[in-house]
């Protein structure tokens, strides 16, 4: 008897939940049907800048990594990389990143990987990206309601010698 009741109860509950789910996606409002979408709001970022020393001279061959840095529940600091690049002869770097709503802030990890080879031995640094000064450079594609567009961030970095 109990098994039969559980099967009946599960069938009714499944039918009700199915109807509620389809109804919420299909109900027209005053503007027409509401599209049913699944996703997460996001934005694309073009991050670029110049790495210089204390005398404002560009530094080549500096590794610039973009990483999400966040504190884990147990207090440890966790990081995971998004992208990395090296500065060119003029100290310039550039890369693109997509940031989803709820992601931790992206940070730039800057490291001198060749020691004295680029004119000095420089200290590593961690830079917070300045999202507040991002400039919108491109609107989202038509029909892409989850994207807020593409933004450019110029993040110049000054390193100190060891």
């Amino acid at each position: 008897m109990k098994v039969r009741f559980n099967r009946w109860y599960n069938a009714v509950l499944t039918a009700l939940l199915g109807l509620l789910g389809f109804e919420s996606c299909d109900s027209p409002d005053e503007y027409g049907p509401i599209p049913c979408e699944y996703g997460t709001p996001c934005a694309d970022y073009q991050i670029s800048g110049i790495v210089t020393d204390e005398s404002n001279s560009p530094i080549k061959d500096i590794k610039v990594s973009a990483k999400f840095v966040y504190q884990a529940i147990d207090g440890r600091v966790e990081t995971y990389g998004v992208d990395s690049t090296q500065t060119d002869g003029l100290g310039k770097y550039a890369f693109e990143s997509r940031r989803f709503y709820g992601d931790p802030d992206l940070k730039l990890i800057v490291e001198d990987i060749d020691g004295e080879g680029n004119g000095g031995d420089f200290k590593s640094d961690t830079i917070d990206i300045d999202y507040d000064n991002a400039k919108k450079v491109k609107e989202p594609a038509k029909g892409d309601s989850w994207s807020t567009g593409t933004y450019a961030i110029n993040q110049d970095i000054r390193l100190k010698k060891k």
Side-chain angles (χ1 to χ4, degrees), residues 100-137:
F100 293 93
Y101 177 77
D103 277 346
D105 284 342
L106 205 59
K107 295 184 185 284
L108 298 178
I109 312 297
V110 187
E111 303 168 280
D112 184 1
I113 56 175
D114 69 351
E116 294 287 334
N118 55 8
D121 196 9
F122 297 94
K123 293 181 184 178
S124 296
D125 202 357
T126 301
I127 311 294
D128 291 327
I129 295 178
D130 188 8
Y131 289 104
D132 294 336
N133 290 322
K135 293 179 177 53
K136 192 170 202 173
V137 294

Side-chain angles (χ1 to χ4, degrees), residues 31-43:
Y31 304 107
I34 299 171
C36 188
E37 296 183 34
Y38 298 95
T40 304
C42 64

Side-chain angles (χ1 to χ4, degrees), residues 74-91:
D74 62 1
R76 291 177 297 121
V77 174
E78 298 283 334
T79 64
Y80 59 96
V82 175
D83 198 0
S84 66
T85 187
Q86 275 185 270
T87 57
D88 64 11
L90 300 174

Side-chain angles (χ1 to χ4, degrees), residues 12-162:
V12 169
L13 188 59
T14 301
L16 284 174
L17 290 175
L19 289 173
L20 288 173
F22 287 115
E23 182 63 29
S24 68
C25 289
D26 231 5
S27 299
D29 64 4
E30 60 195 70
Y31 304 107
I34 299 171
C36 188
E37 296 183 34
Y38 298 95
T40 304
C42 64
D44 293 319
Y45 289 93
Q46 299 170 342
I47 302 167
S48 62
I50 299 174
V51 178
T52 59
D53 62 13
E54 294 172 303
S55 64
N56 217 21
S57 299
I59 311 170
K60 67 176 182 165
D61 296 328
I62 296 290
K63 181 180 179 183
V64 181
S65 303
K67 294 186 178 187
F68 288 115
V69 179
Y70 63 96
Q71 190 160 3
I73 294 172
D74 62 1
R76 291 177 297 121
V77 174
E78 298 283 334
T79 64
Y80 59 96
V82 175
D83 198 0
S84 66
T85 187
Q86 275 185 270
T87 57
D88 64 11
L90 300 174
K92 295 181 180 181
Y93 72 93
F95 53 86
E96 295 183 2
S97 172
R98 175 166 282 183
R99 185 169 178 230
F100 293 93
Y101 177 77
D103 277 346
D105 284 342
L106 205 59
K107 295 184 185 284
L108 298 178
I109 312 297
V110 187
E111 303 168 280
D112 184 1
I113 56 175
D114 69 351
E116 294 287 334
N118 55 8
D121 196 9
F122 297 94
K123 293 181 184 178
S124 296
D125 202 357
T126 301
I127 311 294
D128 291 327
I129 295 178
D130 188 8
Y131 289 104
D132 294 336
N133 290 322
K135 293 179 177 53
K136 192 170 202 173
V137 294
K138 185 178 174 188
E139 292 294 327
K142 189 172 183 166
D144 187 0
S145 60
W146 287 114
S147 176
T148 59
T150 302
Y151 298 83
I153 298 175
N154 184 31
Q155 191 79 44
D156 292 338
I157 301 166
R158 181 165 293 172
L159 293 181
K160 295 178 182 178
K161 289 189 178 183
K162 289 184 180 177

